[in-house]
Amino acid sequence: MNKKILIEQLQNQLLSLLEEAELAATNARLAATDEQSKAETQYDSLAIESGFLAEGQSRRIDELRKSINTLNSLKVGESRQVEIGALVYLEDDNSQVKLFFILPVGAGHQLSLVKEMVTVITPDAPLSSSLKGCIVDDEVRLQMGAKENFYTVIDIK
């Protein structure tokens, strides 16, 4: 099933980000405790800044682990309407087809399916909210600032 391949791609992207965040957190912790980082004046804040960076990276690591666990436990099947786990094919006013994969995590990630790009959106995204419950041939209006976009749902998998 194509959805499983897409989920594996997203998991790999998140695992790569996790590795980067773990390395950054380790480096920030080392910098915060390094003898060279010791404050020499009241304005020398390298150790403090490194500590804040390490804390932020630790939070990012926790978020990434939660996202990966969420994907591991996600059950997706074929969909007849737009819901979490749906792969939605939308056609805009210019007859361009765009693919969106609605998942609980991974917003904004780009995945590839054969020769097509798939954008991950989460349920709280404006487009996802507009699409919720739609079926094939439904038309969706999305207001983005002063611009109004119209899409037609041409397929849901």
Side-chain angles (χ1 to χ4, degrees), residues 4-19:
K4 289 183 181 180
I5 293 169
L6 291 172
I7 289 173
E8 286 175 10
Q9 281 182 42
L10 181 56
Q11 286 173 323
N12 289 336
Q13 289 179 13
L14 293 175
L15 285 168
S16 178
L17 290 173
L18 178 61
E19 288 175 11

Side-chain angles (χ1 to χ4, degrees), residues 60-88:
R60 180 73 177 132
I61 289 167
D62 290 342
E63 290 172 10
L64 288 165
R65 285 183 179 149
K66 287 178 188 173
S67 294
I68 292 166
N69 288 337
T70 298
L71 287 176
N72 285 335
S73 64
L74 185 66
K75 305 283 189 254
V76 293
E78 292 298 312
S79 301
R80 293 192 156 282
Q81 68 178 17
V82 178
E83 60 191 3
I84 292 178
L87 182 60
V88 184

